Every structure is written in C-alpha cells, then in structure tokens.
Amino acid sequence: MKNIRNFCIIAHIDHGKSTLADRLLEYTKTVESKDMQDQVLDNMDLERERGITIKSHAIQMDYMYQGEKYVLNLIDTPGHVDFSYEVSRSIAACEGALLIVDASQGIQAQTISNLYMAIENDLEIIPVLNKIDLPSAMPDEVEDQIIELLGCKREEILRASGKTGEGVGALLDAIVEKVPAPKGDPTAPLQCLIFDSVFNPFRGIIAYFKVENGVIHSGDRVKFIATGKEYDADEVGILRLDMSPRSEIGTGDVGYIISGIKTSKEVRVGDTITHVSRPAEKGIEGFQEVKPMVFAGVYPIVSEDFENLRASLEKLQLNDASLTFQPESSVALGFGFRCGFLGLLHMEIVQERLDREFNMDVITTVPNVSYKVYDKKGGCIEVHNPSGLPDPTLIDHIDEPFIRASIITNTTYIGPIMTLCLGKRGVLIKQEYISGDRVEIFYDLPLGEIVIDFYDKLKSISKGYASFDYHLHDFRPSKLVKLDILLNGEPVDALSTLTHVDNSVPFGRRMCEKLKELIPRQQFDIAIQAAIGAKIIARETVKAVRKDVTAKCYGGDISRKRKLLEKQKEGKKRMKQIGTVEVPQKAFLAVLKLD
C-alpha cells in the first residue's frame, strides 16, 4: 500500500490537463506508441470535436523510482464550471492533486474554485506551470501569482510542457515524493467508495471504486449499502487503457467491479460497497447531493418514443450523476421529462449525447431556474416550470435564486463587465486586485438572468480573457411575472417564461418578432401575441399564403372574379376555425438567441 499514489489533475478549462496526462502515460509506457493519440483519455467523440473534457477518466500507471515500483492512479478531470461535480467526485478518490496553470494565461476563476475544493478535502497540492514552450509564456509573472495564491516557495513550482514533454520526469518524481500513500486498514471490513459508473450493453453496469478499507476479491458476495442490494463480484480489476481483470484489489487502490447489474437505479455514485459476510457498520461519507441549476423540458419528437427516452436518460444518468429528471406533460408537446442540468453547456452536451449515443430526436424547451412561490396563507412551493405557477391572485411573493459570481479579468475590461452585470440586475459586492493588472470582481446576480447568454457575452466583451465561476448564494424576493406566448389566441405552454417586471415588455416584443421570422406561413393569418395575465403587451402577424383563384379569369365581368374571391373567403373562414399552427424546433430555442 505504501507504493500507491492516487492523484487528480485540476485546472481551468483549456490549460492543458489532457495533453499533460498524455505525456505522463507516454513517459510511464502505459500506452503503447501505436495506440497513442492526442487526448488519449477523452474517449467520447464529442470531447474530441470540442476539445474539452466532459467526463473524468481514471487510469493506472506503473513507475520505477529509485529502484522501487510505484503504482500511480491518475484521474483526469474536466475544467468547465458546468462539470464541477465530476471534479468533486474525482477529488474524493485522491490524496493529491496537480494544480496546472497555463504560463500564458495565468490563474483563472476555475483554477481558484477547484483549488479550494481540493484544499477542503486535505489534498497535497503540487503546483505545475504548463505550456512554458509558448512564445507568449510569462513564467515569472505567473509564478508570482501562484506563490501569492498558495503561499508556496518558488522552487516548489514545477515547470512543464504538455506539448514537448519537458519536465514530465520531474513531475512523476514529485508525485511519488509529495503525494501521501493512501491511509486505510487492510484488515478492517471492506469499504469501497463508488466514484463513477458506466453502462455496457453486454456486461451490465460497471462501477468504478476506490478501496478505502479492506480487500475485495473476485467472486466475493458484496452489498451496496445505500440500496441494500447484494451481488456476486463476477469480475474485479484495474483500469488501464482498457479494463484488466485481477484476482483482488487491495486497500487504497482504484478499480472496477462487474456484477451483472441490469437496472441503473441500483448503482449510485457516492455509495459504499461492503462484504455480505463481514459488513462495514456504515457507508463512507461521500459527496454532497448535486443541486441542478437549470431546468428544461426534454420531449421526444415522436410521442411513441417516450419510454425509449426514459431508458436513454437512465443510462445517461449512470455516466453523468449530475443529471436529474422527472416526467411531465405539456399541452403543446405531449409527454416528456423535466430535466435538471448544472448549466447551459451541460444541457447542450446531454442533448447531443442523447442524439448520438441513443438515437433520440428530442425537443428541448426554454431553460429556466427554480423559484420559491409563497402564497397568502404562508405556504411555500418550489416551481421549476412556469406552467406550474399558481393563480396570480393567490401569490404573496416569489423568491428567486441568486448566485455569488467571481469574475477574474484584466483591468482594461472592468467597465464593460460592470455594465453587463448591472444590465443583468447584478449587485457589486467587492473587487480585489490579484496582481499588477488583474482583478477579481464579486457580484450577486439572479441565476435566471445568467442562465441563457451571460457567459457568451462575458467572453465576447473581454476578448475571451475574463473567467467566470459561481455558486448558489441565497433566495431573494423579486417582482416576477409570467409571460405567455399565444398563437391564434391559444397559449403555448412550452414557450412561457418567468421574467422580471422591468424586462417583460421588451422581452415579449423581441419574442414575438423572433417567432414571426421562425414560424412558417400557413393558409391563414397567424396572430403571435405576448401576454401578461389578460393584458396583451405585443403582437405580430404572420400573413397567410394566398392562392391566386382569379388566375383562370381573363377579361369578362368583374362579378365573376368577385364570386371566386367570395368563395375563397368562405373557405378561409372554415380553415381558421380548425387551423393549428406548426411550430418548428428552432422556435423553442429562439429565446436563447434573442439579441
């Protein structure tokens, strides 16, 4: 056990975690050169196309140090704020962390929030300066920032380059020297912490775990504490590039278990595995329950696919524990699910994965957040969907969630960023200068305002420089109204939103204009209206496509033409009564691209 080292790699998005992980695998000869490719751990097509890590990946390496063989378990983590739950789970399974900072960009918001998460879990932090081969690298200035943040000595900071492989040997030596060996008792009852799981169509559900105490053998009878279910450990093993079976996994090591579990509800991330014959008294204190930030309805395009969609979401939830869902129905779209996501990128990725991995064509409604609605009797309900709002006469007040946001930027962009935050009803808390020309600004912002396009706007006004991190702070009373969109007088529940009183009229107007562009013309006029309660605040009309019925009349008396036009008018009237409007998928996401 003293020769095992468990460590993860944490950093801001795009600071070179996956590339550095490639070099570590290459240096320790874990991956043969014929199997080597860029971002070898990112095995999802989606990750390669976008160049981001979505899932954390575990892999084991062997390393010889001073004549002794050491086992290094590496977990590569995502950097984007929407996948911070993946990071928290990886950190729970480690004793040390490589904190990677890009030598050309310096410390950014996610660097700091991931670092605090690691410090809370008492991990040994090894600071690494990456991308030192870049012409734009400023190693000395960035080292000053790291020293200020961590309070470490300059010689403790390692310089490396994921591209050229420079400094990788020193990095592996530092991991062996500095990261503590796992603590645990091999003779105690078995306790394994599940930190991830995947679904395999042939083998059932495969759970990845870290052994905290005891030893697990293949063929053991095991029990999952949270669900109380018992299984046979058909196969246990360690995670190389592929899974490699072993007869036993000892204390402190990381491995996988296959026990023919078929239903996804029986495996929970954060659960504890123990022996049936000699069970542990209690489970390991795992992770906090994840709180979704953004809610959106996901509906199958063909209503018969409802059950398939449920099965697909369950399988996806195994692989992504931060996704939550419950059934709901909509007048416009039929049966579907209300899904909870950690952010907009997360929502986009889930939609894309449903399409690619499970062949599910889905419509996603406008994303919104959860509100607390207090009625006049003092009762409180949580509303995730504008259509679930009680009658306005019964509501006393509505509380909306506020977040505490930290934005790190260059002093040049403070003005535009403050204007953006004030436009989103933000309240400035404080600002601190980190170093020379870098400043960290703290704002309290309503979550509903930042959910849609805040991150994109922040990146464009700061030329991609500003970085952004947030956590839920509290709920505050706000003047919110429900904005309904009516098509030919019928409300479309999938398009209704909760919005602040001050924004409601311009927002309604922009919605109507946008829908007018997107809804195809029919044989009759379509009235698009935005309404608050019974008051119509905006209207646009999609004009009818008319057939020229008088084309066959050439010359002759005007009454012949009039007769044909009157006949057409009668037909139009009948049509209007039964005409339903086709709304394309693009219209439901129109709200996201209003500006």
Side-chain angles (χ1 to χ4, degrees):
M1 196 166 95
K2 68 179 197 327
N3 286 12
I4 295 176
R5 299 287 182 270
N6 298 320
F7 68 101
C8 58
I9 301 185
I10 53 176
H12 189 80
I13 190 167
D14 204 23
H15 278 206
K17 294 179 295 298
S18 299
T19 313
L20 199 63
D22 288 354
R23 297 292 84 76
L24 293 174
L25 296 176
E26 209 169 53
Y27 195 89
T28 55
K29 301 194 168 47
T30 306
V31 180
E32 295 292 325
S33 50
K34 66 176 184 346
D35 296 328
M36 199 63 206
Q37 50 178 346
D38 285 347
Q39 280 88 31
V40 70
L41 290 178
D42 292 351
N43 49 13
M44 231 184 280
D45 292 343
L46 212 58
E47 293 180 313
R48 297 183 164 280
E49 280 166 31
R50 293 180 178 235
I52 57 175
T53 304
I54 294 167
K55 285 284 303 158
S56 53
H57 300 278
I59 191 163
Q60 192 175 92
M61 309 180 277
D62 294 332
Y63 181 57
M64 293 299 287
Y65 176 70
Q66 294 180 351
E68 274 194 73
K69 184 177 152 189
Y70 285 84
V71 173
L72 311 181
N73 288 310
L74 153 72
I75 301 179
D76 179 28
T77 62
H80 195 281
V81 61
D82 280 13
F83 304 113
S84 54
Y85 185 60
E86 289 283 331
V87 183
S88 75
R89 288 163 30 194
S90 309
I91 285 175
C94 292
E95 282 83 35
L98 296 183
L99 180 75
I100 292 186
V101 182
D102 185 330
S104 62
Q105 295 183 38
I107 284 171
Q108 294 189 306
Q110 260 334 90
T111 318
I112 294 179
S113 78
N114 286 345
L115 170 69
Y116 287 157
M117 215 188 290
I119 290 172
E120 273 169 30
N121 282 283
D122 291 339
L123 298 197
E124 178 65 38
I125 310 287
I126 301 176
V128 181
L129 199 58
N130 193 20
K131 305 194 186 181
I132 53 167
D133 57 308
L134 288 182
S136 59
M138 319 168 287
D140 298 336
E141 290 92 324
V142 178
E143 273 185 0
D144 292 340
Q145 293 173 17
I146 297 175
I147 291 166
E148 207 164 309
L149 178 68
L150 282 176
C152 60
K153 297 188 179 70
R154 190 175 288 275
E155 56 272 14
E156 287 175 13
I157 301 171
L158 301 171
R159 293 189 178 191
S161 162
K163 199 172 186 178
T164 62
E166 188 184 333
V168 170
L171 195 58
L172 286 160
D173 291 349
I175 291 166
V176 173
E177 288 162 15
K178 292 185 179 171
V179 176
K183 300 176 189 66
D185 181 356
T187 59
L190 178 71
Q191 279 183 313
C192 306
L193 176 72
I194 298 179
F195 65 88
D196 204 355
S197 55
V198 291
F199 180 79
N200 180 315
F202 307 108
R203 318 271 327 245
I205 289 152
I206 302 170
Y208 297 162
F209 60 81
K210 179 195 174 191
V211 186
E212 295 281 350
N213 291 308
V215 179
I216 184 168
H217 301 82
S218 80
D220 281 353
R221 185 87 180 145
V222 294
K223 175 173 139 187
F224 286 46
I225 290 182
T227 55
K229 294 272 178 39
E230 298 182 3
Y231 308 99
D232 288 319
D234 298 335
E235 184 182 305
V236 295
I238 56 168
L239 298 152
R240 290 289 165 135
L241 198 52
D242 300 314
M243 295 183 289
S244 79
R246 294 283 185 272
S247 57
E248 62 171 63
I249 307 276
T251 310
D253 218 341
V254 173
Y256 69 89
I257 177 170
I258 299 177
S259 45
I261 305 172
K262 294 286 181 286
T263 47
S264 48
K265 289 191 182 71
E266 293 175 23
V267 177
R268 280 211 206 118
V269 167
D271 193 0
T272 305
I273 306 174
T274 187
H275 281 136
V276 173
S277 55
R278 188 176 161 222
E281 286 163 26
K282 61 181 197 326
I284 303 161
E285 294 297 317
F287 330 103
Q288 68 284 21
E289 273 295 302
V290 63
K291 288 236 176 355
M293 296 276 193
V294 180
F295 296 88
V298 173
Y299 294 87
I301 287 179
V302 186
S303 50
E304 287 84 66
D305 285 347
F306 175 72
E307 280 305 323
N308 295 351
L309 180 61
R310 184 199 294 271
S312 306
L313 282 168
E314 280 178 359
K315 284 174 191 166
L316 202 55
Q317 199 177 29
L318 269 180
N319 205 300
D320 180 355
S322 51
L323 171 69
T324 60
F325 63 90
Q326 61 200 55
E328 71 162 5
S329 63
S330 139
V331 182
L333 299 170
F335 290 104
F337 293 93
R338 188 105 205 129
C339 297
F341 306 98
L342 295 183
L344 271 198
L345 177 70
H346 187 208
M347 174 178 136
E348 210 178 300
I349 295 290
V350 167
Q351 197 181 344
E352 188 93 356
R353 284 183 70 181
L354 280 172
D355 180 31
R356 291 187 180 200
E357 295 172 26
F358 304 100
N359 258 341
M360 293 301 310
D361 278 342
V362 293
I363 288 181
T364 316
T365 64
V366 182
N368 49 24
V369 300
S370 59
Y371 298 93
K372 287 183 176 168
V373 180
Y374 291 87
D375 58 25
K376 300 214 162 129
K377 294 175 187 162
C380 166
I381 57 166
E382 209 169 86
V383 173
H384 300 314
N385 190 351
S387 60
L389 209 63
D391 193 82
T393 52
L394 305 172
I395 296 173
D396 182 50
H397 67 278
I398 301 177
D399 282 3
E400 69 170 329
F402 268 71
I403 57 157
R404 175 66 52 88
S406 107
I407 298 167
I408 295 183
T409 173
N410 198 311
T411 44
T412 332
Y413 307 114
I414 291 183
I417 287 175
M418 286 192 164
T419 314
L420 172 70
C421 292
L422 288 171
K424 299 281 188 191
R425 316 203 313 270
V427 182
L428 178 65
I429 304 298
K430 61 176 178 180
Q431 58 185 49
E432 294 173 352
Y433 282 85
I434 299 177
S435 64
D437 59 347
R438 305 181 50 151
V439 61
E440 185 169 13
I441 313 173
F442 293 92
Y443 261 96
D444 278 0
L445 289 153
L447 181 59
E449 293 278 347
I450 69 145
V451 127
I452 289 176
D453 55 359
F454 180 82
Y455 192 67
D456 298 347
K457 282 184 176 165
L458 179 72
K459 281 293 182 196
S460 55
I461 60 175
S462 66
K463 300 200 168 72
Y465 187 87
S467 60
F468 171 67
D469 183 48
Y470 63 86
H471 59 268
L472 203 57
H473 192 55
D474 57 3
F475 279 79
R476 299 178 194 178
S478 290
K479 279 188 171 172
L480 297 169
V481 289
K482 182 181 170 195
L483 182 78
D484 284 315
I485 300 290
L486 313 175
L487 295 181
N488 279 349
E490 290 290 321
V492 182
D493 55 356
L495 287 172
S496 57
T497 46
L498 274 177
T499 175
H500 196 263
V501 173
D502 303 347
N503 299 347
S504 58
V505 176
F507 185 74
R509 226 171 255 148
R510 294 211 310 271
M511 271 293 278
C512 290
E513 286 163 11
K514 190 79 184 173
L515 287 169
K516 185 183 176 183
E517 295 168 21
L518 293 170
I519 290 177
R521 290 170 69 186
Q522 323 262 326
Q523 300 267 326
F524 48 88
D525 283 3
I526 302 170
I528 303 170
Q529 293 163 308
I532 294 171
K535 182 183 171 195
I536 304 289
I537 54 167
R539 166 172 176 144
E540 293 285 337
T541 310
V542 178
K543 283 296 185 196
V545 182
R546 282 191 50 188
K547 183 179 169 194
D548 188 0
V549 286
T550 58
K552 59 187 178 191
C553 289
Y554 47 93
D557 190 22
I558 184 71
S559 58
R560 287 177 62 200
K561 287 188 177 173
R562 195 162 292 141
K563 184 177 141 199
L564 288 168
L565 289 168
E566 289 297 327
K567 195 170 158 194
Q568 184 185 31
K569 207 169 174 183
E570 287 300 313
K572 288 268 180 223
K573 261 189 198 149
R574 267 204 313 278
M575 214 165 191
K576 196 157 195 156
Q577 288 159 6
I578 58 164
T580 53
V581 185
E582 278 182 20
V583 185
Q585 151 88 32
K586 288 200 292 270
F588 292 106
L589 296 175
V591 191
L592 302 184
K593 311 260 181 337
L594 274 183
D595 299 336

